[in-house]
Amino acid sequence: MSKMKIIDELADAQVDYVKESLYDSIQWAMDGVDELEDLEGDNYNFCHNAIMMATIEKLHAGLKEIYAKK
């Protein structure tokens, strides 16, 4: 098996774990914010998704920055 195939398989295996962990972490963080306390349904989901997307974008940018220095 090629190295790229191995990398892809390992990355695929991590995606579900990272998404679930991030989802739970954001849910926990939102629980401690008074301004988000009354959100329900679609509003809660929209806010949770926005935080999740922003987190992923910042993580990606941070990784690009780290590897650009090498």
Side-chain angles (χ1 to χ4, degrees), residues 49-66:
N49 187 57
I51 296 168
M52 196 160 181
M53 294 298 293
T55 302
I56 292 167
E57 289 171 5
K58 290 176 184 233
L59 176 62
H60 185 251
L63 290 173
K64 286 172 70 175
E65 188 176 298
I66 289 170

Side-chain angles (χ1 to χ4, degrees), residues 16-52:
D16 288 335
Y17 170 76
V18 170
K19 280 195 305 189
E20 182 178 338
S21 180
L22 181 58
Y23 186 93
D24 291 344
S25 180
I26 291 170
Q27 189 172 22
W28 174 81
M30 288 176 68
D31 286 344
V33 178
D34 291 339
E35 293 85 355
L36 305 177
E37 193 172 286
D38 296 329
L39 291 178
E40 294 179 353
D42 288 344
N43 290 331
Y44 179 88
N45 290 333
F46 179 84
C47 186
H48 188 282
N49 187 57
I51 296 168
M52 196 160 181

